Amino acid sequence: LRGNTYSVLLENFSKYYWENSDSAFWKDLLQQFDQEDDTLLLKKEILNGGAAGYEIVTQKRGSLNVKRARILLNAGKLYSIVTVQLASEINNANNNKYFDSFRFTNEQSSAVLFKSKAAALLDDIGSEDSGTSNKAVKYLSLAQFSKEDLPLIHAALLKNYSADDEKDNDVIKSQLGRVIKDLKDTSSLAFARDHFIGADDTTRNILLNVLTSFPSAENY
């Protein structure tokens, strides 16, 4: 006799989390299955009712067992339906029924995951509540900023932030400067030129880094 385990796992996202598109979301998520000790046996797009997702089948090297997982989005949350069984049993009728019959009683859009949270994130780094500001600062390096967010990021760089052990004004400005440089948009060049003279020393150094990231005779 053998007992098999079937799991449904729920994952919530940070309030600051967003991806710039549905395809970018799935690309980043599915990368975690490309692990050195696992062999990817199957990856396919699926629909459970109106909920879209992927089915992934992996096997650890040297193992007789196979992990079958169906990953679905609903209402901005991630659901993983999982079982680990012998390779010879993983696609039997009972398992297929378990995966194929799963439905959400209340299907909802996950469009909230693909809307920028830049405004909320940048506002929270300046919060007077240290718990809120520290969480926001730590998320800066994870945020999926795009060129459309640059006006907000530019404005945030010109602000001054209170300092404590976890949230230092210079560190915050350095991170914002890194984001601006990484986006490589010429609007940042104009922004740096326009605000360089009137900026404080810390901000001026950041703006200088932005300026030098656009190498040209005119810029020099």
Side-chain angles (χ1 to χ4, degrees):
L1 297 178
R2 181 181 73 247
N4 293 322
T5 300
Y6 299 83
S7 304
V8 179
L9 309 174
L10 169 63
E11 181 180 352
N12 289 299
F13 295 93
S14 165
K15 72 173 185 176
Y16 304 124
Y17 176 86
W18 81 93
E19 283 282 0
N20 292 315
S21 68
D22 177 79
S23 58
F25 170 84
W26 288 112
K27 179 181 178 181
D28 288 348
L29 181 68
L30 295 174
Q31 282 180 347
Q32 65 181 285
F33 293 96
D34 296 328
Q35 301 178 22
E36 293 183 0
D37 59 340
D38 286 358
T39 300
L40 182 63
L41 303 178
L42 175 71
K43 179 175 70 175
K44 67 176 182 180
E45 295 184 59
I46 50 87
L47 276 174
N48 278 54
Y54 276 82
E55 181 160 316
I56 305 291
V57 179
T58 58
Q59 185 173 26
K60 290 189 178 297
R61 293 179 183 177
S63 175
L64 297 177
N65 288 331
V66 169
K67 179 180 180 180
R68 183 177 176 183
R70 189 166 288 198
I71 308 166
L72 301 165
L73 271 180
N74 188 55
K77 299 178 181 180
L78 190 69
Y79 293 81
S80 298
I81 314 163
V82 183
T83 190
V84 179
Q85 297 183 30
L86 290 171
S88 59
E89 298 292 329
I90 200 67
N91 292 311
N92 66 29
N94 284 331
N95 289 335
N96 289 340
K97 184 177 180 180
Y98 168 66
F99 284 97
D100 293 338
S101 64
F102 185 91
R103 293 291 185 274
F104 294 104
T105 56
N106 184 18
E107 291 182 353
Q108 298 181 45
S109 169
S110 293
V112 64
L113 296 178
F114 313 119
K115 294 180 180 178
S116 174
K117 312 297 190 307
L121 175 58
L122 295 171
D123 186 58
D124 281 357
I125 65 175
S127 172
E128 295 182 359
D129 178 75
S130 60
T132 298
S133 59
N134 288 334
K135 289 179 181 178
V137 169
K138 290 177 181 177
Y139 205 87
L140 273 177
S141 61
L142 303 174
Q144 300 295 313
F145 292 109
S146 67
K147 294 179 180 180
E148 287 70 26
D149 299 317
L150 275 171
L152 295 173
I153 303 170
H154 290 163
L157 181 62
L158 298 179
K159 297 178 181 178
N160 288 313
Y161 302 93
S162 60
D164 59 34
D165 291 341
E166 295 186 56
K167 184 168 71 76
D168 179 79
N169 181 68
D170 292 355
V171 172
I172 294 172
K173 286 180 175 286
S174 294
Q175 290 195 48
L176 292 171
R178 175 192 55 77
V179 171
I180 292 172
K181 288 174 60 177
D182 288 348
L183 290 173
K184 301 181 186 301
D185 189 77
T186 53
S187 67
S188 296
L189 175 58
F191 164 76
R193 285 174 172 169
D194 292 344
H195 293 88
F196 183 81
I197 297 299
D200 58 54
D201 289 343
T202 298
T203 307
R204 187 176 295 176
N205 286 334
I206 303 299
L207 293 176
L208 182 60
N209 287 332
V210 172
L211 286 166
T212 56
S213 68
F214 291 89
S216 67
E218 177 190 8
N219 192 40
Y220 178 79

